[in-house]
Amino acid sequence: MFFLNFLFLVGLVMGLVVVSSNPSPFFAALGLVMVASMGCAILVGYGGTFLSLILFLIYLGGMLVVFAYSAALAAEPYPEGLGSPEVLVHAVLYFLGVFVGGMYLLEGWYEVSWVPVDDMSEFSGSRADTWGVGLVYSSGGGMLGITVGALLLTLVVVLHVVRGLSRGAVRAV
């Protein structure tokens, strides 16, 4: 199980490097799907099945819409791929930064921190990942409303930017 979670963490870092080093939104969307799926697999490995399902649906549902709009704006006939020299140099630099940061912070990590969340409560009748759902709607209701408003404003702005050739704000042609 430890090896499988290690592979998911490596896939997560690789997806983050793909998203951050690629100037083309087509390949960045592929990296985003990889990051979301690897992150959700890590959560499932540690007992957060409900949380990973909600994260996967909301994150991919919301963020891929934004990536689709940005891909429509940056419609390149020949986008730079993952193997182009400029993208490869950025990816190597990002991997090197992750490696150096990992070596610098290596002393603070111990094996006891890799414990599933359900092993912390001994005689609980419910799953640990569903405890936070009630708190989101009770204590975090105001922040949830602000977040919904910000996402609605973002959607309106993106729709205004890409609404047509003659009236769009950021059209090249």
Side-chain angles (χ1 to χ4, degrees), residues 49-80:
T49 54
F50 179 74
L51 182 63
S52 68
L53 176 68
I54 297 301
L55 175 72
F56 196 73
L57 291 176
I58 291 173
Y59 191 70
L60 282 183
M63 291 304 291
L64 283 181
V65 168
V66 174
F67 268 108
Y69 284 129
S70 65
L73 279 175
E76 303 173 29
Y78 302 106
E80 287 191 37

Side-chain angles (χ1 to χ4, degrees), residues 2 8 45 63 69 80 88 133 149 154 164:
F2 177 76
F8 288 146
M63 291 304 291
Y69 284 129
E80 287 191 37
L88 196 60
V133 176
T154 305

Side-chain angles (χ1 to χ4, degrees), residues 15-31 67 76 79-84 86-88 90-91 94:
L16 288 172
V17 167
V18 167
V19 170
S20 63
S21 67
N22 206 339
S24 174
F26 302 113
F27 295 109
L30 174 71
F67 268 108
E76 303 173 29
E80 287 191 37
L82 295 173
S84 68
E86 181 181 337
V87 173
L88 196 60
H90 284 113
Y94 290 141

Side-chain angles (χ1 to χ4, degrees), residues 2 5 45-47 110-121:
F2 177 76
N5 282 330
Y46 287 109
Y110 300 102
E111 286 296 319
V112 293
S113 64
W114 293 88
V115 178
V117 70
D118 286 331
D119 289 348
M120 297 294 187
S121 59

Side-chain angles (χ1 to χ4, degrees), residues 3 9 12 15 44 49-50 68 83 86-87 102 105 109-110 114-115 124 132 142 145 148 160 162 168 171:
F3 183 69
L9 285 171
L12 181 82
V44 166
T49 54
F50 179 74
E86 181 181 337
V87 173
L105 298 173
W109 293 92
Y110 300 102
W114 293 88
V115 178
S124 176
V148 167
H160 180 69
V162 297
R171 282 292 183 175

Side-chain angles (χ1 to χ4, degrees), residues 83-170:
S84 68
E86 181 181 337
V87 173
L88 196 60
V89 166
H90 284 113
V92 167
L93 287 175
Y94 290 141
F95 272 125
L96 187 64
V98 167
F99 181 74
V100 168
M103 289 294 118
Y104 179 71
L105 298 173
L106 188 63
E107 289 181 19
W109 293 92
Y110 300 102
E111 286 296 319
V112 293
S113 64
W114 293 88
V115 178
V117 70
D118 286 331
D119 289 348
M120 297 294 187
S121 59
E122 296 179 15
F123 298 109
S124 176
S126 65
R127 301 264 321 166
D129 62 336
T130 58
W131 292 343
V133 176
L135 289 174
V136 167
Y137 291 109
S138 64
S139 300
M143 189 55 126
L144 188 66
I146 291 171
T147 306
V148 167
L151 287 174
L152 183 64
L153 177 68
T154 305
L155 179 65
V156 169
V157 167
V158 167
L159 286 175
H160 180 69
V161 166
V162 297
R163 71 177 164 168
L165 287 175
S166 64
R167 300 183 56 92
V170 189

